[in-house]
Amino acid sequence: MPEPPDAHALPAPANACLQACLARHAAAIPGLAELGERLAASRDTDALIDLHEQCAHLLEHAMWAAGADFHPLLASYQALFREQEALIRQRGEDDRHHFILGIPVADRPPHLRACLESIVQVCTLFDYGGHASGNWDRITVVVAEDSRDEANIRRHIELVEAYRRRGLNVIHYGLAEQYELLHALPPPTRERLGGLLTSQPKERFYLKGQAANRNLSYLKFLQLSENRHNTLYYLIDSDQSLCLNRQTAAGEEVVHALPYFHVIDRIFRSTDTLMLTGKMVGDPPVSPAVMAANFLDDVAAFFSRMAALAARAACTFHGAPGPLAGNAAYHDHASLFGFDNQAASYPYACRLAGDHDHGACLADFTQRLDAFFFGEHLTRKTWFGYGPGFAELAPARTVYPGNYVVNHAGLKYLIPFGHLRLRMSGPTAGRLIAAEIGARFASANLPNLHRRTTEAGLADDFRPGVEMGDTSVDLSDEFERQFFGDLMLFATEQLVKRADVTQPFARDAVEAVVGEKEAELLALYQQKHDAIVERSRQLDDLVFNAGHWWLHAPELAAALQQVRAFIDNIERNFGACAPAWRQIQSAEHRAQRKRQIVEALMNYRAERDAWDSLF
């Protein structure tokens, strides 16, 4: 009698993409020919799924190699994942994780649109979990509202509905629902968690801050989790997208080349990781308050180079390489984080396409200067580098709040101190978490693309701590929050080396490290302040007083006005009379902030205990 058919046997078309990939690339990529031999001998579903995995791994390495024919390889790579998902559905056994993504959003419809679109693209191109039902059933997205403007809330809701129609399970987590879930907690617990989850009243339950809004999302996550032991919680900021940037001869190219859900699922299934953080490519993840000195260096370098060129000559500001992610080239205080030997300046890469001259390049450059005050860096945008791959782990010490993943047990390790509204909350949380769980807090090469501004322009973007007038930009609030965020971070970093993070911190220990770091930071900020004042003066002389050709070009009058406005805003925000600088210099103001920081650190363990009790 013939043997019964194998329940896992597949008809030939089920591996058509794999066969096509092997036929196209086997001669050029070592290892693929051997996979072809194994494919010819196998008709088992599990074996075919494994062959797809191995083939994708080989293509991935080849795709990011220097000189690779990138786009054909990318198309094959994406097709392999989609075909593998069809095989998994046919097999019927799938123990991989479900994902709940949280996107805190405050008055940012253009950013939210870009973020949701990137998620749909990753789902479409890599098809994690499949979408036989019409939806990607293993992916749920929670848009956590924190807007003040009712019109923006309506726009966010419209986006949620639009992307739901495209097959994405998106939920709008509104202010009223957040308030109700918060007040469903027992009053004693809620009172103890006020610093983590906000104590703002119902009539003003908006702009609670990114940390509080993110932590409130956890309450919604718990409500949505059908299987908490098989669910991962992925936190993304609205100004980030699930894609990468790569440098080409023509400039930046954005590609959907990272199968985020597949890689993250594999990491959590194969390791004991509790919290995983990626990084960012694109715009820097830091405030302009700590980028002004190096940005002025680069602006001056641009004009110095431009001065030696002919206005009507073809533009030569193309193909300039920028720094790879991870070296903090954009940060004025990079040495505080262990980074040294930064380049004195980075060249500007012109974004104009087609034939154009240096005058057009200069005009376009000046139009973009004001975006610096919203966090865009024209010369030190960071670029993706593949390195050893996506899934290799390293111990982490910084939580990137816009790009981290936890399992259910990892929900305990949240971002504290939201009530202080300080910057550097992610690095501060990271120091505490790393001290508590060590290598189970890990980092991987899974960056998101970070965009401070969108095509909608600065007028349609909200950034807390930045106030914009007709020609003026005021960073006072953000600058102040940056200095004291640095103080909180570096005091915490030193404190966890001296004290047990699982026990309450003693007041004398906290006050001692806060005092030490205050003195160090004041000296460093004074040094950078002096440098900014001097570099701003030098830039003014270079552009307006050295007689260069642009002064005699009437068509560049508007461009020069933009440079003047930029220098004026630098003086307004970083000069001797800048309000934030006066606050930092005020012993009375510092004493008030230090009291807040000391109390927050002393209360950390009690707040964490109250939070942990929810799980």
Side-chain angles (χ1 to χ4, degrees):
M1 293 179 62
E3 294 183 359
D6 184 348
H8 286 177
L10 293 171
N15 56 30
C17 290
L18 179 58
Q19 290 179 344
C21 176
L22 294 172
R24 172 179 284 191
H25 304 295
I29 300 177
L32 284 186
E34 179 186 344
L35 292 185
E37 295 172 2
R38 291 170 55 191
L39 174 62
S42 175
R43 298 277 293 168
D44 177 83
T45 309
D46 289 336
L48 281 173
I49 291 171
D50 183 59
L51 286 172
H52 279 74
E53 190 86 22
Q54 294 179 57
C55 185
H57 183 69
L58 293 172
L59 254 65
E60 182 180 294
H61 280 277
M63 184 169 66
W64 290 106
D69 194 2
F70 183 84
H71 286 287
L73 288 169
L74 175 60
S76 295
Y77 181 70
Q78 294 165 338
L80 280 173
F81 279 92
R82 296 194 297 270
E83 185 170 82
Q84 184 188 51
E85 288 296 334
L87 292 170
I88 293 172
R89 289 196 299 278
Q90 181 166 328
R91 182 181 63 184
E93 300 170 5
D94 191 356
D95 63 352
R96 293 176 301 170
H97 291 92
H98 291 257
F99 282 82
I100 298 179
L101 284 71
I103 308 174
V105 61
D107 295 301
R108 280 181 165 181
H111 278 112
L112 179 60
R113 181 189 298 277
C115 183
L116 291 174
E117 180 63 30
S118 75
I119 297 169
V120 164
Q121 290 300 316
V122 170
C123 288
T124 301
L125 294 168
F126 296 100
D127 203 30
Y128 179 82
H131 63 290
S133 68
N135 295 326
W136 285 280
D137 294 326
R138 285 179 178 258
I139 309 295
T140 299
V141 180
V142 176
V143 174
E145 189 63 75
D146 202 28
S147 300
R148 175 171 53 191
D149 189 324
E150 289 290 340
N152 283 332
I153 294 174
R154 287 194 298 272
R155 291 169 71 188
H156 293 158
I157 292 172
E158 289 168 1
L159 284 169
V160 165
E161 293 171 348
Y163 279 91
R164 189 181 294 137
R165 290 192 293 271
R166 293 178 62 181
L168 197 60
N169 295 319
V170 197
I171 296 167
H172 183 259
Y173 181 36
L175 302 177
E177 185 180 5
Q178 294 172 30
Y179 187 84
E180 290 171 6
L181 278 180
L182 174 61
H183 284 262
L185 297 175
T189 302
R190 187 175 67 246
E191 184 176 341
R192 293 169 67 193
L193 294 174
L196 295 174
L197 298 178
T198 194
S199 56
Q200 289 182 200
K202 188 174 185 178
E203 65 274 12
R204 197 170 54 81
F205 206 71
Y206 50 74
L207 300 187
K208 303 175 291 294
Q210 55 88 11
N213 198 37
R214 187 173 286 106
N215 294 340
L216 281 167
S217 297
Y218 286 24
L219 302 181
K220 186 65 175 177
F221 294 168
L222 295 176
Q223 184 187 69
L224 292 171
S225 300
E226 295 181 6
N227 182 349
R228 295 181 179 183
H229 300 293
N230 200 38
T231 301
L232 296 176
Y233 308 92
Y234 193 174
L235 281 300
I236 302 173
D237 275 351
S238 59
D239 62 0
Q240 299 190 33
S241 298
L242 297 188
C243 49
L244 305 172
N245 61 356
R246 61 187 293 262
Q247 288 178 321
T248 71
E252 180 183 36
E253 181 182 45
V254 174
V255 293
H256 294 278
L258 204 171
Y260 290 87
F261 304 119
H262 291 85
V263 177
I264 293 167
D265 165 74
R266 189 161 59 246
I267 288 171
F268 276 89
R269 281 192 292 118
S270 61
T271 72
D272 65 350
T273 301
L274 293 175
M275 173 179 277
L276 178 72
T277 191
K279 293 189 177 181
M280 303 178 194
V281 292
D283 291 329
V286 300
S287 166
V290 289
M291 298 194 298
N294 70 69
F295 187 63
L296 285 167
D297 282 339
D298 293 354
V299 174
F302 170 82
F303 278 102
S304 293
R305 179 182 167 191
M306 190 65 81
L309 301 170
R312 299 299 182 187
C315 179
T316 55
F317 286 77
H318 289 269
L324 294 177
N327 70 355
Y330 44 75
H331 206 303
D332 285 345
H333 304 158
S335 60
L336 283 172
F337 299 89
F339 297 101
D340 293 307
N341 301 318
Q342 302 293 345
S345 65
Y346 279 84
Y348 171 67
C350 181
R351 66 175 179 173
L352 296 178
D355 294 336
H356 60 278
D357 59 21
H358 288 126
C361 174
L362 187 152
D364 189 61
F365 177 84
T366 61
Q367 286 178 7
R368 302 173 68 192
L369 285 174
D370 272 353
F372 168 77
F373 297 100
F374 280 72
E376 183 179 308
H377 203 306
L378 301 185
T379 48
R380 306 198 188 197
K381 174 185 293 187
T382 54
W383 300 86
F384 174 70
Y386 181 68
F390 296 137
E392 184 167 313
L393 300 185
R397 64 172 189 167
T398 289
V399 179
Y400 284 82
N403 184 8
Y404 71 93
V405 189
V406 296
N407 58 17
H408 181 260
L411 286 172
K412 292 182 178 180
Y413 306 103
L414 78 178
I415 298 178
F417 315 130
H419 63 295
L420 297 184
R421 300 295 187 92
L422 298 177
R423 294 194 55 80
M424 309 306 286
S425 61
T428 300
R431 281 14 177 218
L432 293 162
I433 294 165
E436 186 169 346
I437 63 175
R440 299 188 75 183
F441 173 35
S443 174
N445 188 23
L446 298 170
N448 297 337
L449 180 61
H450 185 219
R451 292 184 174 114
R452 290 292 196 188
T453 58
T454 68
E455 290 77 8
L458 300 181
D460 201 19
D461 181 43
F462 168 74
R463 180 168 170 80
V466 178
E467 299 293 334
M468 190 172 180
D470 291 338
T471 59
S472 65
V473 182
D474 185 357
L475 295 177
S476 298
D477 182 55
E478 181 160 293
F479 194 118
E480 190 268 357
R481 291 187 300 115
Q482 179 69 49
F483 177 84
F484 291 102
D486 282 342
L487 180 56
M488 170 67 100
L489 165 61
F490 292 108
T492 300
E493 184 175 73
Q494 192 60 235
L495 185 61
V496 297
K497 296 176 182 177
R498 302 181 186 181
D500 183 355
V501 72
T502 65
Q503 300 297 320
F505 296 132
R507 178 178 293 274
D508 58 349
V510 176
E511 289 178 341
V513 296
V514 169
E516 292 169 13
K517 295 304 171 183
E518 176 192 23
E520 293 175 15
L521 286 172
L522 280 172
L524 182 60
Y525 268 70
Q526 179 70 60
Q527 176 187 343
K528 291 300 177 183
H529 169 79
D530 294 344
I532 291 168
V533 170
E534 176 59 20
R535 290 170 191 178
S536 179
R537 184 194 63 76
Q538 292 173 352
L539 178 63
D540 192 297
D541 284 344
L542 172 63
V543 175
F544 295 105
N545 300 324
H548 293 305
W549 57 261
W550 49 78
L551 295 175
H552 312 295
E555 70 275 14
L556 293 178
L560 293 178
Q561 288 177 358
Q562 289 167 322
V563 180
R564 169 58 60 206
F566 169 75
I567 293 174
D568 288 347
N569 277 323
I570 289 289
E571 174 65 22
R572 181 177 293 109
N573 289 286
F574 299 99
C577 297
W581 181 245
R582 292 202 303 269
Q583 278 189 310
I584 290 169
Q585 294 294 99
S586 166
E588 181 180 0
H589 183 74
R590 291 202 312 276
Q592 176 188 355
R593 274 299 207 180
K594 284 190 296 181
R595 283 194 295 272
Q596 294 175 341
I597 290 171
V598 169
E599 293 298 325
L601 286 167
M602 289 176 58
N603 290 334
Y604 171 70
R605 193 69 252 168
E607 286 186 331
R608 268 290 310 281
D609 289 344
W611 177 254
D612 292 358
S613 70
L614 300 180
F615 302 93

